[in-house]
Amino acid sequence: MRKKTVLAAAFVAAAALTLSACGGSDDSGAKKPIADVSVQPKTKAATVLDQPFTKPDLVLTDTHGKKYDLRAQTKGKPTLIYFGYTNCPDVCPLIMSNIAIAKKSLPEADQEKLRVVFVTTDPERDTPSSLGSWLKSQDASFIGLTGDFPTIQAGARQIGIGVDAPKKEKDGTVVSMHGSQVIAFSPKTDQGYLVYSEDTSPDDYTKDLPKIIKGETP
Protein backbone atom coordinates (compact mmCIF):
# COMPACT_ATOMS: atom_id res chain seq x y z
CA MET A 1 0.00 0.00 0.00
CA ARG A 2 2.90 2.36 0.40
CA LYS A 3 3.85 4.71 -2.38
CA LYS A 4 7.58 5.24 -2.12
CA THR A 5 7.48 8.94 -2.94
CA VAL A 6 4.49 10.06 -0.90
CA LEU A 7 4.06 7.62 1.95
CA ALA A 8 7.73 7.16 2.73
CA ALA A 9 8.11 10.92 3.09
CA ALA A 10 5.00 11.03 5.25
CA PHE A 11 6.33 8.41 7.62
CA VAL A 12 9.62 10.27 8.00
CA ALA A 13 7.92 13.60 8.59
CA ALA A 14 5.07 12.48 10.79
CA ALA A 15 6.90 9.67 12.58
CA ALA A 16 3.65 8.16 13.83
CA LEU A 17 1.29 7.30 10.98
CA THR A 18 -0.79 4.17 11.56
CA LEU A 19 -2.72 1.77 9.39
CA SER A 20 -5.87 0.05 10.60
CA ALA A 21 -7.88 -2.88 9.37
CA CYS A 22 -11.52 -1.99 9.96
CA GLY A 23 -13.83 -4.98 10.05
CA GLY A 24 -17.29 -4.74 8.57
CA SER A 25 -20.38 -6.75 9.41
CA ASP A 26 -21.23 -10.10 7.91
CA ASP A 27 -24.77 -11.03 6.93
CA SER A 28 -25.60 -11.98 10.52
CA GLY A 29 -24.49 -8.60 11.82
CA ALA A 30 -21.45 -10.00 13.61
CA LYS A 31 -18.54 -7.59 13.91
CA LYS A 32 -14.94 -8.43 13.09
CA PRO A 33 -12.42 -6.94 15.55
CA ILE A 34 -10.04 -4.27 14.40
CA ALA A 35 -6.34 -4.94 14.01
CA ASP A 36 -4.49 -2.32 16.01
CA VAL A 37 -1.08 -0.99 15.06
CA SER A 38 0.93 0.65 17.82
CA VAL A 39 2.20 4.21 17.45
CA GLN A 40 5.23 5.92 18.86
CA PRO A 41 4.53 7.84 22.09
CA LYS A 42 4.25 11.61 21.72
CA THR A 43 4.33 14.37 24.31
CA LYS A 44 1.54 16.17 22.44
CA ALA A 45 -1.51 14.89 20.58
CA ALA A 46 -0.44 16.35 17.24
CA THR A 47 2.53 15.42 15.12
CA VAL A 48 3.76 18.61 13.44
CA LEU A 49 4.96 18.07 9.88
CA ASP A 50 8.23 19.65 8.81
CA GLN A 51 7.02 19.46 5.22
CA PRO A 52 3.26 20.14 5.20
CA PHE A 53 0.96 18.38 2.74
CA THR A 54 -0.72 20.17 -0.12
CA LYS A 55 -4.48 19.82 0.15
CA PRO A 56 -5.71 16.93 -2.05
CA ASP A 57 -6.95 17.87 -5.49
CA LEU A 58 -10.30 16.13 -5.06
CA VAL A 59 -13.61 16.79 -6.76
CA LEU A 60 -16.20 14.40 -5.36
CA THR A 61 -19.91 14.23 -4.53
CA ASP A 62 -21.31 15.53 -1.25
CA THR A 63 -24.22 14.15 0.77
CA HIS A 64 -26.67 16.30 -1.23
CA GLY A 65 -25.53 14.76 -4.49
CA LYS A 66 -23.71 17.91 -5.57
CA LYS A 67 -20.17 18.30 -6.84
CA TYR A 68 -17.72 19.28 -4.11
CA ASP A 69 -14.31 20.72 -4.99
CA LEU A 70 -12.29 20.15 -1.81
CA ARG A 71 -9.62 22.76 -2.48
CA ALA A 72 -12.01 25.46 -3.64
CA GLN A 73 -14.69 24.95 -1.00
CA THR A 74 -12.36 24.71 1.99
CA LYS A 75 -9.95 27.44 0.87
CA GLY A 76 -8.98 29.68 3.77
CA LYS A 77 -10.90 27.52 6.26
CA PRO A 78 -9.44 25.49 9.15
CA THR A 79 -10.09 21.96 7.93
CA LEU A 80 -9.85 18.44 9.35
CA ILE A 81 -9.82 15.61 6.81
CA TYR A 82 -10.37 11.92 7.56
CA PHE A 83 -10.69 8.91 5.25
CA GLY A 84 -12.93 6.12 6.53
CA TYR A 85 -16.28 4.41 5.99
CA THR A 86 -19.64 4.22 7.69
CA ASN A 87 -19.74 0.43 8.16
CA CYS A 88 -16.59 0.52 10.27
CA PRO A 89 -17.64 -0.84 13.68
CA ASP A 90 -15.22 1.08 15.87
CA VAL A 91 -12.37 3.36 14.81
CA CYS A 92 -14.16 5.57 12.27
CA PRO A 93 -17.23 6.43 14.38
CA LEU A 94 -15.05 6.92 17.45
CA ILE A 95 -12.77 9.40 15.70
CA MET A 96 -15.66 11.40 14.29
CA SER A 97 -17.43 11.37 17.65
CA ASN A 98 -14.31 12.65 19.40
CA ILE A 99 -14.05 15.53 16.94
CA ALA A 100 -17.76 16.31 17.27
CA ILE A 101 -17.49 16.48 21.07
CA ALA A 102 -14.51 18.83 20.88
CA LYS A 103 -16.13 21.02 18.23
CA LYS A 104 -19.05 21.75 20.55
CA SER A 105 -16.62 23.35 23.02
CA LEU A 106 -15.73 26.07 20.51
CA PRO A 107 -17.47 29.45 20.41
CA GLU A 108 -20.26 29.43 17.82
CA ALA A 109 -18.30 31.68 15.45
CA ASP A 110 -15.36 29.28 15.48
CA GLN A 111 -17.64 26.28 14.99
CA GLU A 112 -18.91 27.91 11.82
CA LYS A 113 -15.37 28.38 10.53
CA LEU A 114 -14.25 24.79 11.05
CA ARG A 115 -14.65 22.30 8.21
CA VAL A 116 -14.63 18.61 9.10
CA VAL A 117 -14.47 16.46 5.96
CA PHE A 118 -15.12 12.70 5.96
CA VAL A 119 -14.13 11.01 2.69
CA THR A 120 -15.47 7.49 2.33
CA THR A 121 -13.13 4.63 1.46
CA ASP A 122 -16.14 2.45 0.64
CA PRO A 123 -18.02 4.43 -2.03
CA GLU A 124 -19.96 1.41 -3.30
CA ARG A 125 -21.93 1.21 -0.04
CA ASP A 126 -21.55 4.81 1.17
CA THR A 127 -24.01 6.57 -1.11
CA PRO A 128 -24.61 10.31 -0.61
CA SER A 129 -27.83 9.51 1.24
CA SER A 130 -26.44 6.85 3.59
CA LEU A 131 -23.29 8.88 4.23
CA GLY A 132 -25.39 11.92 5.05
CA SER A 133 -27.56 10.01 7.52
CA TRP A 134 -24.51 8.56 9.27
CA LEU A 135 -22.74 11.91 9.60
CA LYS A 136 -25.89 13.64 10.80
CA SER A 137 -25.80 11.41 13.87
CA GLN A 138 -22.30 12.71 14.58
CA ASP A 139 -22.61 16.39 13.63
CA ALA A 140 -24.92 17.82 10.99
CA SER A 141 -22.23 20.25 9.82
CA PHE A 142 -19.72 17.51 8.94
CA ILE A 143 -19.07 17.24 5.21
CA GLY A 144 -19.31 13.77 3.66
CA LEU A 145 -17.78 13.00 0.28
CA THR A 146 -18.07 9.99 -1.99
CA GLY A 147 -17.18 9.16 -5.58
CA ASP A 148 -15.23 6.59 -7.56
CA PHE A 149 -12.68 4.60 -5.59
CA PRO A 150 -9.56 5.30 -7.71
CA THR A 151 -10.07 9.05 -7.31
CA ILE A 152 -10.52 8.70 -3.54
CA GLN A 153 -7.47 6.45 -3.22
CA ALA A 154 -5.32 8.87 -5.20
CA GLY A 155 -6.51 11.79 -3.05
CA ALA A 156 -5.64 9.93 0.14
CA ARG A 157 -2.17 9.16 -1.15
CA GLN A 158 -1.57 12.87 -1.75
CA ILE A 159 -1.56 13.32 2.03
CA GLY A 160 0.31 10.13 2.88
CA ILE A 161 -2.69 7.97 3.73
CA GLY A 162 -2.88 4.43 2.36
CA VAL A 163 -6.26 3.07 1.32
CA ASP A 164 -7.15 -0.36 -0.06
CA ALA A 165 -10.42 -1.23 -1.73
CA PRO A 166 -12.86 -2.99 0.63
CA LYS A 167 -12.60 -6.76 0.29
CA LYS A 168 -15.35 -9.27 0.97
CA GLU A 169 -14.16 -12.47 2.54
CA LYS A 170 -15.71 -15.93 2.12
CA ASP A 171 -17.75 -15.56 5.31
CA GLY A 172 -19.32 -12.36 4.01
CA THR A 173 -17.26 -10.07 6.21
CA VAL A 174 -16.13 -6.87 4.51
CA VAL A 175 -12.64 -5.70 5.50
CA SER A 176 -11.17 -2.32 4.61
CA MET A 177 -7.59 -1.23 5.12
CA HIS A 178 -7.12 2.52 5.46
CA GLY A 179 -4.95 4.96 7.33
CA SER A 180 -6.66 6.22 10.47
CA GLN A 181 -5.02 9.65 10.67
CA VAL A 182 -6.80 12.99 10.82
CA ILE A 183 -4.94 15.72 8.93
CA ALA A 184 -5.42 19.34 10.01
CA PHE A 185 -5.09 22.06 7.36
CA SER A 186 -4.23 25.63 8.22
CA PRO A 187 -6.58 28.46 7.17
CA LYS A 188 -3.49 30.60 6.55
CA THR A 189 -1.66 28.33 4.12
CA ASP A 190 -4.25 25.68 3.18
CA GLN A 191 -1.56 23.10 3.90
CA GLY A 192 -1.83 20.02 6.10
CA TYR A 193 0.56 20.71 8.96
CA LEU A 194 -0.73 18.49 11.79
CA VAL A 195 -1.38 14.75 12.02
CA TYR A 196 -3.59 13.15 14.68
CA SER A 197 -3.70 9.40 15.35
CA GLU A 198 -6.75 7.31 16.19
CA ASP A 199 -5.71 7.53 19.87
CA THR A 200 -6.41 11.28 20.02
CA SER A 201 -8.99 11.98 22.72
CA PRO A 202 -11.82 14.55 22.79
CA ASP A 203 -9.78 16.51 25.36
CA ASP A 204 -6.81 16.57 22.98
CA TYR A 205 -8.94 17.99 20.18
CA THR A 206 -10.63 20.42 22.58
CA LYS A 207 -7.22 21.77 23.55
CA ASP A 208 -5.90 22.04 19.99
CA LEU A 209 -8.89 23.21 17.95
CA PRO A 210 -8.77 26.88 19.05
CA LYS A 211 -5.21 27.09 17.68
CA ILE A 212 -6.08 25.19 14.50
CA ILE A 213 -8.88 27.72 13.90
CA LYS A 214 -6.21 30.44 13.89
CA GLY A 215 -3.70 28.44 11.86
CA GLU A 216 -1.35 28.17 14.81
CA THR A 217 0.70 25.19 16.01
CA PRO A 218 -0.57 23.61 19.24
Side-chain angles (χ1 to χ4, degrees):
M1 285 179 61
R2 295 185 183 179
K3 277 282 187 179
K4 291 182 179 179
T5 55
V6 178
L7 286 184
F11 273 84
V12 171
L17 299 191
T18 62
L19 192 64
S20 295
C22 291
S25 299
D26 59 22
D27 294 336
S28 67
K31 303 275 182 79
K32 183 171 182 176
I34 193 164
D36 293 325
V37 180
S38 61
V39 297
Q40 297 178 14
K42 303 189 298 293
T43 56
K44 293 184 179 181
T47 297
V48 182
L49 299 178
D50 292 330
Q51 296 181 336
F53 290 117
T54 298
K55 192 173 289 181
D57 186 11
L58 274 175
V59 179
L60 295 171
T61 301
D62 67 16
T63 55
H64 303 289
K66 297 181 179 180
K67 183 177 74 173
Y68 191 95
D69 186 323
L70 181 66
R71 285 185 178 175
Q73 292 181 247
T74 61
K75 183 177 177 61
K77 301 290 185 181
T79 303
L80 303 181
I81 295 178
Y82 178 74
F83 287 79
Y85 69 115
T86 65
N87 284 282
C88 174
D90 32 37
V91 172
C92 299
L94 177 62
I95 288 174
M96 299 309 290
S97 176
N98 288 346
I99 294 172
I101 291 170
K103 178 175 172 284
K104 291 177 182 178
S105 70
L106 292 169
E108 186 173 344
D110 285 346
Q111 290 191 43
E112 293 176 358
K113 293 176 184 176
L114 182 65
R115 299 291 182 269
V116 179
V117 181
F118 182 96
V119 184
T120 182
T121 59
D122 184 13
E124 184 174 338
R125 291 188 293 173
D126 285 344
T127 64
S129 177
S130 64
L131 184 56
S133 296
W134 187 83
L135 286 174
K136 188 176 181 180
S137 67
Q138 301 281 354
D139 187 304
S141 73
F142 285 0
I143 299 160
L145 300 179
T146 188
D148 66 275
F149 182 79
T151 298
I152 291 169
Q153 184 181 51
R157 285 175 173 170
Q158 290 176 39
I159 54 174
I161 295 176
V163 173
D164 273 357
K167 183 174 70 173
K168 190 172 185 178
E169 299 184 342
K170 292 181 179 180
D171 64 356
T173 301
V174 177
V175 177
S176 176
M177 291 287 291
H178 64 85
S180 57
Q181 303 79 39
V182 174
I183 312 296
F185 288 79
S186 167
K188 294 180 178 179
T189 64
D190 279 319
Q191 292 188 314
Y193 69 121
L194 302 173
V195 178
Y196 291 90
S197 76
E198 65 186 62
D199 298 318
T200 305
S201 70
D203 287 343
D204 291 328
Y205 283 118
T206 297
K207 181 179 178 181
D208 288 3
L209 280 180
K211 292 191 175 182
I212 292 173
I213 295 294
K214 298 176 182 177
E216 299 174 353
T217 300

